């Protein structure tokens, strides 16, 4: 029989003065059973993380308040517990994996020290004993060369390895509950699958409960037992996982389930004109060693890639981190040195210097992954969007304003907002601003580098629909770089799969998705869509 570990009753959470500010989490109730996974699902701002952090009172004490509710751990109300009692539970009976391991791990301390800290605090282990346990934990979470990794700093590990270290720290004292806050958001699909399978295996081995916080419904479908859907701080639906996916009752739940990016790009002309070509393009970075820093080898980030992109076409480029996708894009835009031929329209451009390439910049634009990082916080939206016009010598104030207004309308933004600043917009709106900045120069080619990876699923769907509409209206060509295969499938005419700098498979999108030829492509598809994709792909 299942046993209740945590019970949350009518929990409300607010910030600032309770008399002036309404709660951001309102009367939330749910239970966590031993050995089960409960998923908190919802878009950014729905209250998922605030709810999870409240279980251990991890929100800033001088800002957060709890107008109502109880958090019962085996009958004890943790909202009323003393700080010393909470320290006994945090990291001991309840572990937590935070969303971004690079900011959660201390960059100044080696991995061994960070793992053994919790062992010292809660179990009194020191010296060789603590090191042996830390080594066991790294081996438990599947890190290769675990003894060597103990001496590494966080920046020396990959994203997947850092996430595994976070899991090792969270599991160090064999907790009864593991809170996993978006544990796979920034990871490649194959690494995502490895991390989630690892958590599932460890859950069964240790008999612990898991509170999984995510906006990825594919993950929820495959790993959760119970689901709570949150919207504007409230739980609007709570069901078993299978029941929720088979028969959702709340309109917001149905909206989330319907938010899978869909659509198909407009068919190309029978004989589309080539816009961009490469022939055996290479980007090799020298590896230098010794006193005189002689080149002993090369890191082959892009190794002999040939591609062709037509007018009005989208070429999806997929692969894991480190496969060479972004480096390839930087080389095509002449932002990274490369060897091999690059032809844009009818001009060979690989030998052009910056002065020679500048006139072509208006025809070749890029949209970056993180719009907040790529938009200047000191410039208004009008200044950001118009910056390219100024660089290209278009400085007539009336023309600039007219083009800014038009391009904001094109991307679905009210031109009246153009005097506001980036921090005043949501993530989806900021990405629309980034697209407007690229679009204002009326380019023929736009490189889209992971433009939807940081967005909620409903916002991703809106951006995909926007990109398809802009392509239809202006006959744009896209190089679409992503590890989100559902978005790639919705946007791309053709798909190119990269692995370790090489192209392992290329072809029409439907052929690559439903009859993949290379084992690596099949591995990516299985990790993204589950084993059922292999069955569908055969029909």
């Amino acid at each position: 029989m299942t046993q209740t570990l945590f019970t949350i009753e009518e929990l409300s959470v607010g910030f600032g003065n309770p008399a002036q500010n309404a709660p951001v989490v309102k009367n939330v109730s749910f239970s966590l059973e031993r050995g089960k996974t409960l998923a908190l699902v919802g878009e950014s701002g729905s209250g998922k993380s605030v709810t999870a952090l409240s279980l251990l009172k991890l929100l800033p004490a001088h800002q957060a308040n709890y107008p109502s509710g109880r958090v019962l751990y085996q009958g004890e109300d943790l909202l009323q517990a003393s700080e010393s009692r909470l320290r006994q539970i945090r990291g001991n009976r309840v572990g937590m994996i935070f969303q971004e391991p690079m900011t959660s791990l201390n960059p100044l301390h080696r991995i061994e020290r960070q793992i053994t800290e919790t062992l010292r605090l809660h179990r009194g282990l020191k010296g060789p004993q603590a090191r042996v346990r830390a080594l066991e934990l790294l081996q438990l979470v599947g890190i290769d060369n675990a003894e060597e990794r103990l001496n590494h700093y966080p920046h020396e590990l990959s994203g997947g390895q850092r996430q595994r270290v976070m899991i090792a720290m969270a599991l160090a004292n064999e907790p009864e509950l593991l809170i996993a806050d978006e544990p796979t958001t920034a990871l490649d699909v194959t690494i995502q699958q490895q991390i989630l399978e690892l958590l599932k295996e460890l859950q069964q081995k240790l008999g612990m409960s898991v509170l999984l916080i995510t906006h990825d419904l594919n993950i929820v479908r495959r790993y959760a037992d119970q689901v709570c859907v949150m919207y504007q701080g409230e739980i609007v639906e709570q069901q078993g996982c299978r029941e929720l996916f088979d028969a959702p009752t709340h309109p917001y739940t149905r909206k989330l389930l319907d938010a899978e990016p869909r659509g198909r790009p407009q068919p190309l002309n029978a004989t589309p004109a080539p816009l961009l070509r490469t022939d055996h393009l290479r980007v090799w970075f020298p590896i230098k060693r010794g006193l005189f820093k002689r080149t002993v080898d090369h890191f082959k980030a892009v190794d002999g890639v040939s591609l062709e992109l037509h007018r009005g076409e989208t070429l999806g480029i997929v692969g894991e981190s480190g496969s060479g996708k972004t480096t390839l894009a930087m080389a095509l835009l002449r932002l990274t040195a490369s060897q091999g031929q690059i032809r844009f329209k009818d001009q060979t451009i690989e030998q052009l210097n910056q002065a020679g390439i500048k006139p072509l910049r208006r025809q070749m634009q890029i949209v970056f992954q993180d719009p907040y990082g790529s938009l200047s916080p000191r410039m208004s939206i009008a200044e950001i969007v118009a910056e390219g016009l100024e660089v290209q010598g278009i400085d007539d104030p009336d023309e600039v304003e007219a083009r800014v207004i038009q391009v904001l309308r094109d991307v679905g933004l009210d031109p009246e907002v153009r005097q506001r600043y980036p921090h005043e917009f949501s993530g989806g709106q900021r990405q629309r601003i980034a697209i407007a900045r690229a679009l204002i120069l009326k380019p023929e080619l736009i490189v889209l580098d992971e433009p939807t990876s940081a967005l909620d699923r409903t916002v991703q769907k809106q951006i995909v629909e926007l990109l398809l509409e802009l392509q239809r209206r202006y006959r744009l060509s896209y190089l679409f770089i992503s590890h989100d295969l559902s978005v790639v499938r919705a946007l791309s005419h053709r798909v190119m799969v990269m692995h370790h700098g090489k192209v392992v498979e290329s072809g029409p999108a439907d052929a690559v998705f439903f009859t993949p030829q290379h084992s690596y492509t099949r591995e990516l598809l299985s990790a993204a869509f589950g084993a059922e994709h292999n069955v569908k792909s055969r029909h």
Side-chain angles (χ1 to χ4, degrees), residues 14-154:
F15 292 93
N17 188 337
Q20 297 176 342
N21 301 318
V24 296
V25 170
K26 307 158 196 170
N27 302 315
V28 164
S29 299
F30 60 88
S31 295
L32 283 161
E33 307 293 337
R34 282 192 185 276
K36 300 291 185 181
T37 297
L38 184 143
L40 275 183
V41 180
E43 296 175 286
S44 300
S46 62
K48 308 185 301 295
S49 294
V50 170
T51 300
L53 292 168
S54 298
L55 267 59
L56 297 175
K57 292 185 72 173
L58 288 172
L59 295 169
H62 63 285
Q63 293 179 346
N65 57 77
Y66 306 92
S68 69
R70 298 194 299 170
V71 176
L72 299 176
Y73 167 59
Q74 297 181 338
E76 178 185 4
D77 186 1
L78 297 186
L79 291 184
Q80 305 303 321
S82 66
E83 190 63 27
S84 61
R85 173 59 178 152
L86 289 170
R87 281 198 295 268
Q88 292 174 356
I89 296 172
R90 295 169 182 158
N92 187 25
R93 307 320 312 143
V94 180
M96 187 154 188
I97 306 169
F98 294 97
Q99 181 170 355
E100 179 43 71
M102 194 59 184
T103 57
S104 304
L105 296 172
N106 190 322
L108 302 178
H109 293 166
R110 297 181 193 274
I111 298 305
E112 179 182 356
R113 178 171 177 180
Q114 302 196 51
I115 296 176
T116 56
E117 181 180 18
T118 186
L119 296 170
R120 177 176 55 81
L121 289 172
H122 294 291
R123 293 196 173 186
L125 296 182
K126 297 178 182 177
Q129 280 185 308
R131 182 178 176 86
V132 167
R133 176 59 177 158
L135 186 59
E136 287 177 358
L137 288 163
L138 288 189
Q139 291 168 341
L140 181 69
V141 298
I143 286 189
D144 297 328
N145 303 318
E147 191 159 8
E148 180 185 339
R149 301 296 183 200
L150 284 174
N151 298 315
H152 285 185
Y153 292 94

Side-chain angles (χ1 to χ4, degrees), residues 479-496:
L479 271 177
F480 188 82
I481 299 167
S482 183
H483 64 253
D484 190 327
L485 297 183
S486 60
V487 177
V488 172
R489 184 167 59 184
L491 272 171
S492 302
H493 295 89
R494 290 186 300 117
V495 174
M496 190 171 83

Side-chain angles (χ1 to χ4, degrees), residues 418-488:
R418 64 187 184 276
Q419 300 308 325
R420 290 162 60 183
Y421 290 82
H423 72 273
E424 299 179 74
F425 295 86
S426 69
Q429 289 172 322
R430 286 196 289 264
Q431 199 59 285
R432 288 173 185 267
I433 293 164
I435 294 170
R437 178 174 60 180
L439 195 63
I440 196 166
L441 287 167
K442 300 180 180 178
E444 296 184 58
L445 167 67
I446 297 182
V447 174
L448 300 148
D449 189 5
E450 300 275 12
T452 64
S453 63
L455 304 178
D456 290 316
R457 214 58 172 167
T458 53
V459 181
Q460 282 188 359
K461 183 180 179 182
Q462 294 168 14
I463 296 297
V464 167
E465 291 170 352
L466 170 66
L467 291 171
L468 288 171
E469 170 59 22
L470 292 173
Q471 184 175 55
R472 183 196 63 77
R473 190 184 306 166
Y474 296 114
R475 204 169 169 237
L476 296 168
S477 299
Y478 295 143
L479 271 177
F480 188 82
I481 299 167
S482 183
H483 64 253
D484 190 327
L485 297 183
S486 60
V487 177
V488 172

Side-chain angles (χ1 to χ4, degrees), residues 285-298:
F285 296 105
I287 299 172
K288 299 178 182 289
R289 292 205 178 104
L291 181 64
F292 299 104
K293 297 296 180 184
R294 292 192 176 93
T295 299
V296 297
D297 202 350
H298 288 84

